[in-house]
């Protein structure tokens, strides 16, 4: 507590970290009392002091800024307060295009995939900068409204969405099941007025209209949401009991006729030139629209083509967001810190004089790597141009040379890891390309405490083990005390604590008590059984993040199957490697990295220790009700109805594995005209050979 009384200037880093944690909790508690219960527990002045102190500490120790920092948030993050809604059809995100060339590539990809000579028509419409929501109507009655969440399930905010003026509660003449999707947003005028009111009430102002919309929609008390002027544009749909139309244009018009607000600036375009002209038009009238947009979304107009194009990972192949150029600002580069990532990469982080860009205060930006610093010749003391687009990490674009102080020295990138071991950090040579890796990486691997610590932090992260009460701070403390050095150690904490091996015992340490200790052990025990995708993600394999982990989990179904395949994939000629490479969304980089991870002795040992404590649950495999799920298919010869890519994507969408060559494991060979050696081999091996039409009949498509 004494730290709370110290001047910010006097705080040690440890004091500051502890105090930021305390402030985050305390401010959250007051926010809850204020926003959710409308019953403030302290005076406004005292509340402002808390926030100011939090800001002061963060500006002195920007590296300590917490993920749940009150300065990043207004109001409460009530995710735990709302029930969960599983989306009947996942809510997808969009791929991005940043320039005209990206748009041309997008159109070309679609033409190639569909084997079209000419471009299909597209719609082009504003990308609204709000938050997406899904509204489910059954027999014309609004029954559920949800946020996007992670795309698979979101928060049930029905009562709040019902307060939005342009969301109808009843529909006439709608399909029996209709899920309407669109964007909840706040206009500039309403945003400004809301902030005036907030200020009059002594409440913190919202940073930008999107935050205001999000904060307003996620209020626990819908009567508060009702006082917030939210709006909604409908632009997509989820589950439907009957189609809305044959085209995007028609479907949106139908939503308009049903009573939804639809955007008037949607155009139908027959050429790339027309698309780009619409983009430029919207860019120039952006400031007059009265609400924030951050780009233009292009969608293939014909819905049957959308269906054929399908999805990759979380984004449709048939749509893309063409972003407006990022907002820029100028500030001073105060220092360049080196951070060590989980895989040992030394990343330079620019510490900046705080500046507002794109509606938020930025004090850190990435400098990417050593070459990038050299290319920009960024020096401490320089004035730099900063840009920030959407939610991406702010970047330094260039240095303003005529403002460079006379004594600014070129930055010398360290060649040793900043960790206490001071291990050499090197840039590997890529054998294939002959080029040096842009990343300088610490060679300490398992010995490097920074890497191990990052690895453990990743292991307990929200998207991995997510153990309540065991956050980054606690992990760091256990790590420094030598009590948790590898993931398995987390699961033996309880036994060791009870055996008196932790000294002092956990409950006697600062920040812990009997209750929090028993809660922690209960939370750890809860994770002894864990979803396969989370488990794979937690391993921290290079190039395997949340999405890839999910893909691996649904492709292999069980840990045993995955591990067996991953170990066998180390052999470049193995069918396991080929099968893994055939998974849509995986390439050489991921597969090599997975194989290398399992081939490494330390990893295998750490895994075995972990598996003695934890059991990964089996995952539901893709489309297991399809007759081709889990089967291995090879396509050969020329296909007449589809391009090879489309055929492959469809098969994989149904849970089949697509391989490049025939082996004893092949279940079907789909042979078109001109099939040669593969056909012969399949016949020799007794593999079922199908024509393209027979294949289509098998998968129930024509
Ligand atoms: S279509 C399957 N259209 O952008 C495609 N999205 O970056 C679903 N967004 O999550 C999205 N305006 O929240 C679409 N006119 C628009 C949009 C739009 C804003 C948002 C949406 C989505 C995000 C993807």
């Amino acid at each position: 507590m004494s730290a709370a009384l110290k001047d910010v200037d006097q705080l040690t880093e440890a004091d500051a970290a502890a105090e930021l944690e305390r402030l985050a909790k305390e401010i959250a508690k007051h926010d809850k009392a204020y926003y959710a219960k409308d019953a403030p527990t302290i005076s406004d002045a005292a509340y402002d002091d808390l926030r100011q102190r939090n800001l002061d500490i963060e500006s002195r120790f920007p590296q300590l800024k917490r993920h749940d920092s009150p300065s990043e948030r207004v109001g409460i993050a009530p995710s735990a307060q709302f029930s969960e809604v599983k989306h009947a059809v996942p809510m997808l995100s969009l791929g991005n295009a940043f320039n005209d060339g990206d748009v041309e590539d997008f159109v070309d990809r679609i033409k190639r995939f569909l084997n079209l000579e000419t471009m299909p028509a597209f719609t082009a419409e504003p990308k609204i900068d709000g938050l997406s929501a899904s509204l489910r109507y059954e027999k014309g009655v609004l029954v559920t409204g949800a946020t996007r969440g992670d795309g698979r399930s979101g928060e049930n905010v029905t009562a709040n969405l019902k307060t939005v003026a342009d969301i109808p509660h009843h529909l006439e003449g709608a399909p029996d099941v209709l899920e309407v999707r669109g964007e909840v947003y706040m206009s500039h005028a309403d945003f400004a007025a809301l902030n005036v009111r907030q200020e009059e009430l002594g409440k913190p102002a919202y940073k930008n209209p999107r935050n205001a919309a999000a904060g307003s929609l996620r209020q626990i008390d819908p009567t508060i949401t009702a006082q917030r002027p939210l709006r909604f544009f409908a632009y997509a749909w989820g589950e439907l009991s009957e189609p809305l139309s044959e085209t995007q244009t028609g479907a949106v018009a139908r939503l308009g006729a049903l009573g939804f607000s639809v955007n008037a600036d949607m155009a139908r375009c027959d050429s790339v030139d027309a698309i780009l002209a619409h983009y430029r038009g919207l860019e120039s009238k952006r400031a007059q629209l009265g609400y924030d947009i951050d780009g233009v979304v292009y969608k293939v107009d014909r819905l049957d083509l959308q269906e054929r194009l399908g999805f990759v990972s979380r984004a449709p192949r048939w749509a893309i967001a063409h972003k407006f150029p990022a907002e820029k600002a100028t500030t001073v580069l105060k220092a360049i810190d080196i951070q060590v990532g989980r895989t040992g990469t030394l990343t330079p982080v620019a510490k900046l004089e705080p500046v507002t860009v794109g509606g938020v205060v930025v004090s850190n930006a990435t400098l990417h790597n050593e070459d990038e610093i050299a290319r920009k010749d960024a020096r401490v003391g320089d004035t730099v141009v900063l840009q920030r687009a959407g939610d991406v990490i702010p970047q330094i674009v260039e240095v303003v040379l005529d403002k460079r102080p006379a004594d600014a020295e070129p930055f010398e990138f360290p060649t040793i890891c900043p960790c206490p071991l001071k291990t050499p950090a090197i840039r590997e040579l890529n054998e294939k390309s002959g080029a040096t890796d842009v990343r300088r990486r610490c060679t300490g691997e398992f010995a490097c405490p920074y890497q191990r610590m990052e690895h453990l932090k990743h292991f307990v992260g929200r998207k991995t083990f997510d153990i309540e009460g065991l956050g980054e701070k606690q992990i760091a403390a256990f790590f420094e005390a030598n009590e948790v050095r590898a993931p398995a150690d987390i699961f033996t904490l309880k036994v060791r604590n009870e055996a008196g091996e932790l000294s002092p015992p956990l409950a006697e340490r600062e920040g812990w008590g009997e209750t929090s200790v028993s809660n922690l052990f209960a939370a750890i025990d809860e994770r002894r059984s864990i979803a396969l995708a989370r488990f794979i993600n937690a391993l921290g394999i290079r190039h395997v993040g949340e999405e890839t982990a999910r893909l691996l989990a649904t492709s292999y179904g069980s840990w045993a199957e995955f591990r067996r395949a991953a170990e066998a994939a180390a052999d470049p000629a193995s069918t396991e490697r080929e099968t893994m490479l055939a998974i849509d969304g995986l390439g050489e980089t991921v597969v090599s990295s997975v194989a290398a991870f399992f081939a490494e002795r330390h990893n295998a040992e750490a895994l075995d220790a972990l598996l003695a404590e934890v059991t990964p649950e089996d995952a539901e495999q893709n489309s297991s009700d399809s007759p081709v799920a889990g089967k291995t298919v090879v396509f050969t010869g020329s296909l007449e109805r589809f391009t090879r890519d489309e055929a492959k994507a469809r098969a994989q969408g149904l849970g089949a594995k697509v391989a490049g060559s025939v082996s004893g494991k092949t279940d079907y060979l789909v042979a078109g005209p001109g099939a040669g050696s593969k056909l012969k081999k399949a016949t020799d091996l007794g593999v079922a050979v199908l024509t393209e039409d027979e294949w289509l009949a098998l998968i129930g498509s024509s």
Side-chain angles (χ1 to χ4, degrees), residues 40-85:
T41 39
I42 54 168
S43 74
D44 288 354
Y47 175 86
D48 289 345
D49 287 347
L50 290 177
R51 276 192 169 264
Q52 190 56 49
R53 185 162 175 90
N54 186 71
L55 280 178
D56 292 345
I57 300 177
E58 282 178 352
S59 77
R60 221 195 117 202
F61 299 98
Q63 75 280 13
L64 296 181
K65 186 159 163 179
R66 301 166 56 86
H67 291 302
D68 61 350
S69 165
S71 63
E72 285 296 307
R73 175 175 57 83
V74 180
I76 35 178
S79 42
Q81 321 274 348
F82 294 110
S83 64
E84 189 179 292
V85 179

Short mmCIF file of all heavy atoms in Angstrom, two decimals, residues 40-85:
data_model
loop_
_atom_site.label_atom_id
_atom_site.label_comp_id
_atom_site.label_asym_id
_atom_site.label_seq_id
_atom_site.Cartn_x
_atom_site.Cartn_y
_atom_site.Cartn_z
N PRO A 40 -22.42 5.33 -8.22
CA PRO A 40 -20.99 5.55 -7.99
C PRO A 40 -20.63 5.37 -6.51
O PRO A 40 -21.42 5.71 -5.63
CB PRO A 40 -20.76 7.00 -8.42
CG PRO A 40 -22.06 7.53 -8.86
CD PRO A 40 -23.10 6.48 -8.79
N THR A 41 -19.42 4.80 -6.29
CA THR A 41 -19.02 4.56 -4.91
C THR A 41 -17.97 5.56 -4.43
O THR A 41 -17.59 5.55 -3.27
CB THR A 41 -18.47 3.13 -4.77
OG1 THR A 41 -17.70 2.84 -5.94
CG2 THR A 41 -19.59 2.12 -4.64
N ILE A 42 -17.46 6.40 -5.33
CA ILE A 42 -16.55 7.47 -4.88
C ILE A 42 -16.92 8.76 -5.60
O ILE A 42 -17.67 8.74 -6.58
CB ILE A 42 -15.06 7.15 -5.18
CG1 ILE A 42 -14.85 6.82 -6.66
CG2 ILE A 42 -14.52 6.08 -4.27
CD1 ILE A 42 -13.38 6.79 -7.06
N SER A 43 -16.34 9.85 -5.12
CA SER A 43 -16.63 11.13 -5.76
C SER A 43 -15.98 11.17 -7.14
O SER A 43 -15.01 10.45 -7.39
CB SER A 43 -16.07 12.27 -4.91
OG SER A 43 -14.66 12.29 -5.06
N ASP A 44 -16.53 12.00 -8.01
CA ASP A 44 -15.96 12.11 -9.35
C ASP A 44 -14.51 12.56 -9.30
O ASP A 44 -13.68 12.10 -10.06
CB ASP A 44 -16.78 13.11 -10.18
CG ASP A 44 -18.13 12.51 -10.56
OD1 ASP A 44 -18.35 11.31 -10.27
OD2 ASP A 44 -18.95 13.25 -11.12
N ALA A 45 -14.21 13.47 -8.36
CA ALA A 45 -12.84 13.99 -8.28
C ALA A 45 -11.87 12.88 -7.90
O ALA A 45 -10.79 12.74 -8.48
CB ALA A 45 -12.78 15.13 -7.27
N ALA A 46 -12.29 12.05 -6.94
CA ALA A 46 -11.41 10.95 -6.50
C ALA A 46 -11.22 9.95 -7.64
O ALA A 46 -10.12 9.42 -7.85
CB ALA A 46 -12.00 10.26 -5.27
N TYR A 47 -12.29 9.74 -8.40
CA TYR A 47 -12.22 8.82 -9.53
C TYR A 47 -11.24 9.37 -10.58
O TYR A 47 -10.39 8.66 -11.10
CB TYR A 47 -13.62 8.66 -10.13
CG TYR A 47 -13.68 7.82 -11.38
CD1 TYR A 47 -13.79 6.43 -11.30
CD2 TYR A 47 -13.64 8.41 -12.64
CE1 TYR A 47 -13.85 5.65 -12.44
CE2 TYR A 47 -13.69 7.64 -13.79
CZ TYR A 47 -13.80 6.26 -13.69
OH TYR A 47 -13.84 5.51 -14.83
N ASP A 48 -11.36 10.65 -10.87
CA ASP A 48 -10.46 11.27 -11.85
C ASP A 48 -9.01 11.16 -11.40
O ASP A 48 -8.11 10.95 -12.20
CB ASP A 48 -10.82 12.74 -12.07
CG ASP A 48 -12.13 12.87 -12.83
OD1 ASP A 48 -12.56 11.86 -13.42
OD2 ASP A 48 -12.72 13.97 -12.81
N ASP A 49 -8.79 11.31 -10.09
CA ASP A 49 -7.43 11.19 -9.57
C ASP A 49 -6.86 9.80 -9.84
O ASP A 49 -5.69 9.66 -10.20
CB ASP A 49 -7.39 11.46 -8.06
CG ASP A 49 -7.56 12.95 -7.76
OD1 ASP A 49 -7.47 13.75 -8.72
OD2 ASP A 49 -7.82 13.29 -6.58
N LEU A 50 -7.70 8.79 -9.64
CA LEU A 50 -7.23 7.42 -9.88
C LEU A 50 -6.82 7.26 -11.33
O LEU A 50 -5.77 6.71 -11.66
CB LEU A 50 -8.34 6.40 -9.56
CG LEU A 50 -8.71 6.20 -8.10
CD1 LEU A 50 -9.87 5.22 -7.98
CD2 LEU A 50 -7.52 5.68 -7.31
N ARG A 51 -7.68 7.74 -12.23
CA ARG A 51 -7.38 7.61 -13.65
C ARG A 51 -6.11 8.39 -14.03
O ARG A 51 -5.30 7.92 -14.81
CB ARG A 51 -8.54 8.13 -14.50
CG ARG A 51 -9.61 7.08 -14.71
CD ARG A 51 -10.60 7.52 -15.78
NE ARG A 51 -11.45 6.40 -16.12
CZ ARG A 51 -11.24 5.57 -17.14
NH1 ARG A 51 -10.24 5.77 -17.96
NH2 ARG A 51 -12.04 4.56 -17.36
N GLN A 52 -5.99 9.58 -13.44
CA GLN A 52 -4.82 10.40 -13.75
C GLN A 52 -3.54 9.70 -13.28
O GLN A 52 -2.53 9.67 -13.98
CB GLN A 52 -4.96 11.78 -13.08
CG GLN A 52 -3.93 12.79 -13.53
CD GLN A 52 -3.94 12.98 -15.06
OE1 GLN A 52 -4.99 13.17 -15.67
NE2 GLN A 52 -2.76 12.87 -15.71
N ARG A 53 -3.61 9.11 -12.08
CA ARG A 53 -2.43 8.42 -11.55
C ARG A 53 -2.06 7.24 -12.45
O ARG A 53 -0.90 7.01 -12.76
CB ARG A 53 -2.70 7.95 -10.12
CG ARG A 53 -1.46 7.35 -9.49
CD ARG A 53 -1.56 7.28 -7.98
NE ARG A 53 -0.41 6.59 -7.42
CZ ARG A 53 0.73 7.18 -7.05
NH1 ARG A 53 0.87 8.48 -7.18
NH2 ARG A 53 1.72 6.47 -6.56
N ASN A 54 -3.08 6.54 -12.89
CA ASN A 54 -2.84 5.41 -13.80
C ASN A 54 -2.12 5.91 -15.06
O ASN A 54 -1.13 5.33 -15.50
CB ASN A 54 -4.19 4.78 -14.14
CG ASN A 54 -4.04 3.51 -14.96
OD1 ASN A 54 -3.59 2.51 -14.45
ND2 ASN A 54 -4.37 3.58 -16.23
N LEU A 55 -2.60 7.02 -15.60
CA LEU A 55 -1.98 7.58 -16.81
C LEU A 55 -0.54 8.01 -16.56
O LEU A 55 0.36 7.75 -17.36
CB LEU A 55 -2.76 8.81 -17.29
CG LEU A 55 -4.03 8.56 -18.09
CD1 LEU A 55 -4.68 9.89 -18.44
CD2 LEU A 55 -3.71 7.80 -19.37
N ASP A 56 -0.33 8.66 -15.40
CA ASP A 56 1.01 9.14 -15.07
C ASP A 56 1.99 7.98 -14.98
O ASP A 56 3.12 8.05 -15.48
CB ASP A 56 1.02 9.92 -13.76
CG ASP A 56 0.25 11.24 -13.87
OD1 ASP A 56 -0.01 11.65 -15.02
OD2 ASP A 56 -0.09 11.83 -12.83
N ILE A 57 1.55 6.90 -14.31
CA ILE A 57 2.46 5.76 -14.16
C ILE A 57 2.72 5.14 -15.53
O ILE A 57 3.85 4.80 -15.87
CB ILE A 57 1.87 4.71 -13.18
CG1 ILE A 57 1.67 5.33 -11.80
CG2 ILE A 57 2.81 3.50 -13.08
CD1 ILE A 57 1.03 4.42 -10.77
N GLU A 58 1.66 5.05 -16.33
CA GLU A 58 1.85 4.45 -17.66
C GLU A 58 2.77 5.30 -18.52
O GLU A 58 3.52 4.78 -19.33
CB GLU A 58 0.51 4.29 -18.37
CG GLU A 58 -0.25 3.08 -17.87
CD GLU A 58 -1.61 2.93 -18.52
OE1 GLU A 58 -2.02 3.84 -19.27
OE2 GLU A 58 -2.26 1.90 -18.27
N SER A 59 2.71 6.61 -18.34
CA SER A 59 3.58 7.39 -19.23
C SER A 59 5.03 7.29 -18.77
O SER A 59 5.95 7.38 -19.57
CB SER A 59 3.09 8.82 -19.43
OG SER A 59 3.40 9.56 -18.31
N ARG A 60 5.25 7.02 -17.46
CA ARG A 60 6.63 6.80 -17.03
C ARG A 60 7.11 5.39 -17.35
O ARG A 60 8.29 5.17 -17.64
CB ARG A 60 6.75 7.05 -15.51
CG ARG A 60 8.02 7.80 -15.17
CD ARG A 60 8.39 7.78 -13.72
NE ARG A 60 9.66 7.10 -13.55
CZ ARG A 60 10.05 6.55 -12.42
NH1 ARG A 60 9.27 6.58 -11.37
NH2 ARG A 60 11.22 5.96 -12.35
N PHE A 61 6.20 4.44 -17.29
CA PHE A 61 6.58 3.04 -17.57
C PHE A 61 5.68 2.48 -18.67
O PHE A 61 4.85 1.60 -18.40
CB PHE A 61 6.40 2.16 -16.32
CG PHE A 61 7.24 2.55 -15.14
CD1 PHE A 61 6.72 3.33 -14.13
CD2 PHE A 61 8.56 2.12 -15.04
CE1 PHE A 61 7.48 3.70 -13.03
CE2 PHE A 61 9.34 2.48 -13.94
CZ PHE A 61 8.81 3.27 -12.94
N PRO A 62 5.83 2.98 -19.91
CA PRO A 62 4.89 2.53 -20.96
C PRO A 62 4.93 1.02 -21.15
O PRO A 62 3.95 0.41 -21.53
CB PRO A 62 5.36 3.26 -22.21
CG PRO A 62 6.46 4.15 -21.81
CD PRO A 62 6.83 3.91 -20.39
N GLN A 63 6.08 0.41 -20.89
CA GLN A 63 6.19 -1.04 -21.10
C GLN A 63 5.32 -1.83 -20.13
O GLN A 63 5.06 -3.00 -20.33
CB GLN A 63 7.66 -1.49 -21.02
CG GLN A 63 8.26 -1.55 -19.63
CD GLN A 63 8.71 -0.18 -19.07
OE1 GLN A 63 8.36 0.88 -19.59
NE2 GLN A 63 9.46 -0.19 -17.98
N LEU A 64 4.91 -1.17 -19.05
CA LEU A 64 4.12 -1.90 -18.04
C LEU A 64 2.62 -1.78 -18.30
O LEU A 64 1.82 -2.36 -17.58
CB LEU A 64 4.40 -1.36 -16.64
CG LEU A 64 5.82 -1.55 -16.11
CD1 LEU A 64 5.92 -0.98 -14.70
CD2 LEU A 64 6.18 -3.03 -16.09
N LYS A 65 2.27 -1.04 -19.35
CA LYS A 65 0.84 -0.83 -19.60
C LYS A 65 0.13 -2.18 -19.75
O LYS A 65 0.57 -3.03 -20.50
CB LYS A 65 0.68 0.00 -20.86
CG LYS A 65 -0.72 0.38 -21.13
CD LYS A 65 -0.70 1.57 -22.04
CE LYS A 65 -2.04 1.76 -22.67
NZ LYS A 65 -2.02 2.91 -23.53
N ARG A 66 -0.95 -2.35 -19.04
CA ARG A 66 -1.63 -3.65 -19.00
C ARG A 66 -2.63 -3.80 -20.13
O ARG A 66 -3.13 -2.81 -20.66
CB ARG A 66 -2.38 -3.78 -17.67
CG ARG A 66 -1.50 -3.67 -16.45
CD ARG A 66 -2.35 -3.46 -15.21
NE ARG A 66 -3.34 -4.52 -15.05
CZ ARG A 66 -3.10 -5.68 -14.45
NH1 ARG A 66 -1.92 -5.92 -13.93
NH2 ARG A 66 -4.04 -6.59 -14.35
N HIS A 67 -2.93 -5.08 -20.46
CA HIS A 67 -3.95 -5.31 -21.49
C HIS A 67 -5.30 -4.78 -21.04
O HIS A 67 -6.10 -4.33 -21.82
CB HIS A 67 -4.08 -6.80 -21.80
CG HIS A 67 -2.87 -7.32 -22.49
ND1 HIS A 67 -2.44 -6.77 -23.68
CD2 HIS A 67 -1.99 -8.29 -22.17
CE1 HIS A 67 -1.34 -7.40 -24.05
NE2 HIS A 67 -1.04 -8.31 -23.15
N ASP A 68 -5.52 -4.85 -19.72
CA ASP A 68 -6.81 -4.37 -19.22
C ASP A 68 -6.69 -2.97 -18.66
O ASP A 68 -7.42 -2.58 -17.76
CB ASP A 68 -7.35 -5.35 -18.17
CG ASP A 68 -6.41 -5.47 -16.96
OD1 ASP A 68 -5.28 -4.96 -17.03
OD2 ASP A 68 -6.81 -6.07 -15.95
N SER A 69 -5.72 -2.21 -19.20
CA SER A 69 -5.50 -0.88 -18.66
C SER A 69 -6.76 -0.01 -18.75
O SER A 69 -7.40 0.04 -19.78
CB SER A 69 -4.39 -0.19 -19.43
OG SER A 69 -4.43 1.18 -19.12
N PRO A 70 -7.09 0.71 -17.68
CA PRO A 70 -8.25 1.61 -17.73
C PRO A 70 -8.07 2.69 -18.80
O PRO A 70 -9.05 3.21 -19.31
CB PRO A 70 -8.28 2.23 -16.34
CG PRO A 70 -7.42 1.37 -15.48
CD PRO A 70 -6.43 0.71 -16.37
N SER A 71 -6.83 3.02 -19.16
CA SER A 71 -6.65 4.08 -20.15
C SER A 71 -7.04 3.60 -21.54
O SER A 71 -7.19 4.39 -22.46
CB SER A 71 -5.20 4.58 -20.15
OG SER A 71 -4.35 3.53 -20.53
N GLU A 72 -7.17 2.31 -21.71
CA GLU A 72 -7.55 1.77 -23.01
C GLU A 72 -9.06 1.55 -23.10
O GLU A 72 -9.56 0.98 -24.05
CB GLU A 72 -6.88 0.39 -23.21
CG GLU A 72 -5.42 0.47 -23.52
CD GLU A 72 -5.16 1.17 -24.85
OE1 GLU A 72 -5.76 0.75 -25.84
OE2 GLU A 72 -4.39 2.14 -24.87
N ARG A 73 -9.76 1.93 -22.11
CA ARG A 73 -11.12 1.45 -22.00
C ARG A 73 -11.97 2.48 -21.30
O ARG A 73 -11.53 3.14 -20.38
CB ARG A 73 -11.03 0.18 -21.16
CG ARG A 73 -12.25 -0.50 -20.78
CD ARG A 73 -11.85 -1.79 -20.06
NE ARG A 73 -10.99 -1.56 -18.92
CZ ARG A 73 -11.42 -1.23 -17.73
NH1 ARG A 73 -12.70 -1.10 -17.50
NH2 ARG A 73 -10.58 -1.00 -16.74
N VAL A 74 -13.18 2.62 -21.78
CA VAL A 74 -14.11 3.46 -21.07
C VAL A 74 -15.28 2.57 -20.76
O VAL A 74 -15.73 1.81 -21.60
CB VAL A 74 -14.58 4.63 -21.95
CG1 VAL A 74 -15.56 5.49 -21.19
CG2 VAL A 74 -13.39 5.44 -22.39
N GLY A 75 -15.78 2.61 -19.56
CA GLY A 75 -16.88 1.73 -19.22
C GLY A 75 -16.35 0.35 -18.93
O GLY A 75 -15.17 0.17 -18.66
N ILE A 76 -17.23 -0.64 -19.00
CA ILE A 76 -16.81 -1.97 -18.60
C ILE A 76 -16.72 -2.92 -19.78
O ILE A 76 -17.38 -2.73 -20.77
CB ILE A 76 -17.78 -2.56 -17.55
CG1 ILE A 76 -19.20 -2.12 -17.86
CG2 ILE A 76 -17.37 -2.16 -16.18
CD1 ILE A 76 -20.19 -2.68 -16.92
N ALA A 77 -15.88 -3.90 -19.64
CA ALA A 77 -15.81 -4.96 -20.64
C ALA A 77 -16.61 -6.12 -20.08
O ALA A 77 -16.12 -6.87 -19.27
CB ALA A 77 -14.37 -5.39 -20.83
N PRO A 78 -17.86 -6.20 -20.45
CA PRO A 78 -18.75 -7.08 -19.71
C PRO A 78 -18.85 -8.47 -20.29
O PRO A 78 -19.83 -9.14 -20.07
CB PRO A 78 -20.08 -6.36 -19.83
CG PRO A 78 -19.99 -5.65 -21.15
CD PRO A 78 -18.56 -5.52 -21.53
N SER A 79 -17.81 -8.92 -21.04
CA SER A 79 -18.01 -10.17 -21.75
C SER A 79 -18.51 -11.28 -20.83
O SER A 79 -19.28 -12.12 -21.26
CB SER A 79 -16.74 -10.57 -22.48
OG SER A 79 -15.66 -10.33 -21.64
N ALA A 80 -18.04 -11.24 -19.57
CA ALA A 80 -18.47 -12.32 -18.69
C ALA A 80 -19.93 -12.14 -18.28
O ALA A 80 -20.56 -13.05 -17.77
CB ALA A 80 -17.57 -12.37 -17.48
N GLN A 81 -20.44 -10.94 -18.52
CA GLN A 81 -21.78 -10.63 -18.03
C GLN A 81 -22.88 -11.07 -18.99
O GLN A 81 -24.03 -11.21 -18.61
CB GLN A 81 -21.94 -9.12 -17.83
CG GLN A 81 -20.73 -8.44 -17.27
CD GLN A 81 -20.71 -8.48 -15.76
OE1 GLN A 81 -21.71 -8.83 -15.15
NE2 GLN A 81 -19.58 -8.17 -15.17
N PHE A 82 -22.54 -11.21 -20.26
CA PHE A 82 -23.56 -11.59 -21.22
C PHE A 82 -23.47 -13.08 -21.50
O PHE A 82 -22.38 -13.65 -21.46
CB PHE A 82 -23.34 -10.83 -22.54
CG PHE A 82 -23.55 -9.35 -22.42
CD1 PHE A 82 -22.48 -8.47 -22.51
CD2 PHE A 82 -24.82 -8.83 -22.22
CE1 PHE A 82 -22.66 -7.11 -22.39
CE2 PHE A 82 -25.01 -7.47 -22.10
CZ PHE A 82 -23.93 -6.60 -22.18
N SER A 83 -24.60 -13.68 -21.81
CA SER A 83 -24.53 -15.10 -22.14
C SER A 83 -23.98 -15.24 -23.57
O SER A 83 -23.90 -14.28 -24.32
CB SER A 83 -25.89 -15.75 -22.00
OG SER A 83 -26.76 -15.17 -22.93
N GLU A 84 -23.61 -16.47 -23.90
CA GLU A 84 -22.96 -16.68 -25.19
C GLU A 84 -24.00 -17.11 -26.22
O GLU A 84 -24.93 -17.84 -25.91
CB GLU A 84 -21.92 -17.79 -24.98
CG GLU A 84 -21.01 -17.97 -26.16
CD GLU A 84 -19.98 -19.08 -25.90
OE1 GLU A 84 -19.11 -18.88 -25.05
OE2 GLU A 84 -20.09 -20.12 -26.56
N VAL A 85 -23.84 -16.65 -27.44
CA VAL A 85 -24.70 -17.10 -28.53
C VAL A 85 -23.81 -17.74 -29.58
O VAL A 85 -22.87 -17.11 -30.07
CB VAL A 85 -25.42 -15.91 -29.22
CG1 VAL A 85 -26.30 -16.39 -30.36
CG2 VAL A 85 -26.24 -15.14 -28.21
#
